[in-house]
Amino acid sequence: MAGLEEAWRLLDSARRVHVVSHIDLDGLAAAALLLRWARRRGLEAVHSVAGARGLYRVLRRGLQEAAGRPGTLVVVADLSPRSRSEAEAVAALLRWGQRLAWIDHHEWPPGAREALERAGAVVVHDRSHVTAEIACCVARCGGEDLELVEIARADDSCSEDPRGLAERWRLVLRHLDWEGLRRAAEALAEGDLWPDWARRIYEAEAPRYYEEIRRSTRVDRYEISGVRVAVVTPPPRASGCDVQRLGLVPGPGEVDVAVILYPRGLSIRTWGKLRADCIASRLGGGGHSHVAGAPRPSTSMGPAQVARMVANAAAGCRGL
């Protein structure tokens, strides 16, 4: 991974670590691994969470604080700049010599990495690994840390981990506020992979949550310009992985693209040679080769309009 050794040197020389992570399980797991590493060495380590829209604000606050705390390393985990201009805005914050490491596995806008690196940031960007795994490589972890990486990988790929923790955490995280998300990362950092408070939330919410998905999810199918598209509309708070796990997302052989439609976003799944990340990037988003996301242009845009938009974007996205 390019930048890995540089990131390790920054981490190894830090006297204080401030992790800014995404709010999903991969981001929180990556934060937990970095917090765990720092605290094992007696370093002060703090954690902030951010969504894509709030990243600049949270990062600005963290870097401004770091300017007054020499030896602080700010690490961004599992978030990508939304645009080159946002990356340039972050780069402009590094004018007092703050140290910034950025680890991520999502698609990045052209020029964003270069803008950060010119300002002295170290970027470790590898789309073939989840961010928790990249964090593990940066911190040179092993042993018990690897179970946390497996949970993050299972959540990111919508697959099963041996203990079923990815599925359960996925539900719990959807019921937490910002403080609750930080609490989750702290529990994971301490090695408590399934704390009692999380179990209680899961047991209270799971029956109603899964029943609502089964009862309320709607599937509309279209064929536009030779592209077979299914638009799946679940309840607003449902996870795409859970909708898929319950068998409500048409799969390979049935459609070319499945779109899970949320009030503010699209979760795009493809099979074979059609690239979900390519489709998503043409719609202002990004992601991985067969699972990606993009903003929903308007809440008034219905399934038929979404299907046409996705089919048009899919042109030229085969086998890239």
Side-chain angles (χ1 to χ4, degrees):
M1 299 178 194
L4 186 60
E5 288 300 318
E6 294 174 82
W8 160 250
R9 285 193 289 271
L10 280 180
L11 189 62
D12 192 42
S13 63
R15 299 200 298 272
R16 178 177 181 270
V17 177
H18 183 169
V19 183
V20 178
S21 83
H22 193 217
I23 59 178
D24 68 0
L25 188 53
D26 187 23
L28 297 178
L33 289 166
L34 293 166
L35 295 173
R36 186 184 294 180
W37 180 92
R39 290 169 183 168
R40 283 171 177 167
R41 286 152 182 78
L43 304 179
E44 179 186 356
V46 296
H47 176 221
S48 300
V49 290
R53 294 174 185 271
L55 173 60
Y56 176 77
R57 174 179 50 80
V58 175
L59 192 50
R60 180 181 60 191
R61 185 168 61 242
L63 288 169
Q64 288 173 342
E65 181 184 65
R69 301 286 298 271
T72 296
L73 173 64
V74 178
V75 185
V76 180
D78 202 42
L79 286 154
S80 62
R82 290 188 296 165
S83 63
R84 177 175 178 170
S85 61
E86 182 174 71
E88 290 171 342
V90 172
L93 297 172
L94 300 176
R95 56 185 176 271
W96 291 297
Q98 302 99 312
R99 298 189 295 174
L100 173 65
W102 200 309
I103 60 176
D104 187 40
H105 71 148
H106 297 97
E107 183 175 357
W108 278 41
R113 177 174 186 160
E114 292 78 6
L116 288 164
E117 290 179 332
R118 281 196 298 271
V122 172
V123 178
V124 186
H125 179 225
D126 188 336
R127 296 184 61 201
S128 65
H129 300 278
V130 294
T131 302
E133 189 171 6
I134 301 172
C136 205
C137 291
V138 170
R140 300 183 178 179
C141 63
E144 64 182 13
D145 300 326
L146 299 180
E147 185 175 11
L148 192 48
V149 173
E150 288 302 317
I151 295 169
R153 186 183 292 119
D155 180 60
D156 194 72
S157 62
C158 295
S159 59
E160 293 292 331
D161 62 282
R163 294 172 57 184
L165 291 176
E167 172 196 330
R168 286 180 272 165
W169 268 117
R170 199 156 50 229
L171 187 154
V172 170
L173 294 181
R174 302 182 84 80
H175 289 83
L176 300 181
D177 57 15
W178 298 110
E179 184 57 38
L181 293 167
R182 287 191 292 270
R183 184 185 183 191
E186 288 290 341
L188 297 174
E190 292 167 5
D192 190 353
L193 301 186
W194 189 233
D196 287 342
W197 61 264
R199 176 184 53 79
R200 289 192 293 271
I201 293 173
Y202 180 80
E203 291 176 350
E205 300 292 341
R208 177 174 51 195
Y209 171 76
Y210 292 123
E211 175 56 30
E212 184 181 10
I213 292 175
R214 292 187 181 96
R215 184 182 66 249
S216 303
T217 298
R218 167 183 164 183
V219 180
D220 297 285
R221 299 173 187 247
Y222 307 88
E223 183 166 348
I224 300 166
S225 302
V227 180
R228 297 172 299 166
V229 182
V231 179
V232 181
T233 309
R237 291 180 62 83
S239 160
C241 289
D242 293 326
V243 176
Q244 182 172 323
R245 189 177 60 81
L246 293 173
L248 300 172
V249 179
E254 300 179 83
V255 295
D256 302 307
V257 188
V259 182
I260 302 175
L261 184 60
Y262 297 108
R264 296 176 63 180
L266 313 174
S267 179
I268 301 166
R269 285 155 168 74
T270 62
W271 297 269
K273 295 183 178 181
L274 190 59
R275 297 289 300 253
D277 54 352
C278 172
I279 296 171
S281 68
R282 295 181 177 203
L283 300 176
H288 312 296
S289 58
H290 295 296
V291 180
R296 181 176 178 174
S298 169
T299 56
S300 64
M301 179 178 281
Q305 294 169 297
V306 168
R308 182 166 298 280
M309 178 180 69
V310 169
N312 290 338
C317 286
R318 292 187 182 275
L320 296 179

